Amino acid sequence: MTDIIFMENVLCVAKLDQAAALLDPLRLEILKTATEPISAAGIAGRLKLPRQRVNYHVRALARAGFLKRAGRSLKRNMAEQRYQAVARSVVLLPELLGPVAPDAARMADPLSAAYLAATAAQIQSETARSAQQAAMEG
């Protein structure tokens, strides 16, 4: 499976290093702020944080594939790179957990909440795989 799968404004992440890029609460705030094209300085102003700190996290999110470049704007004779979130929602796929991912086949009681949660995780993975295959086939 590829690193990131898009499904109608939902981003499915199947790679551990990309998922790790989201674990910082500031990065989640940045993603929430970047629903429209905005510069790192603009995000810093909204979050009332130093521009350098925000810029570091914006670049990390862009490298991980969660932000895309959305043009440049001129501000005081300086060009600012603008970024935008690639999707409104992010889903971390159960495969990220490897051998400890929920598996309905390992559940003893098919009427338990654990079995239901494991089945939901399997459906989530299968839906992402189907979306990826559909995208590859056009």
Side-chain angles (χ1 to χ4, degrees), residues 7-76:
M7 292 186 295
E8 292 189 39
N9 223 0
V10 175
L11 188 80
C12 296
V13 178
K15 196 169 179 186
L16 197 55
D17 60 338
Q18 288 174 316
L22 291 175
L23 294 179
D24 189 307
L26 175 55
R27 292 183 182 174
L28 294 175
E29 283 298 314
I30 290 169
L31 279 179
K32 188 170 75 172
T33 305
T35 56
E36 300 295 326
I38 189 169
S39 66
I43 294 170
R46 286 189 189 176
L47 299 178
K48 296 181 174 72
L49 293 170
R51 181 185 50 79
Q52 294 87 347
R53 181 177 174 199
V54 171
N55 193 45
Y56 169 80
H57 292 287
V58 164
R59 288 178 186 262
L61 287 167
R63 276 192 310 273
F66 297 108
L67 292 176
K68 63 182 175 183
R69 290 178 180 241
R72 291 180 179 255
S73 62
L74 285 176
K75 188 171 186 181
R76 297 185 203 133

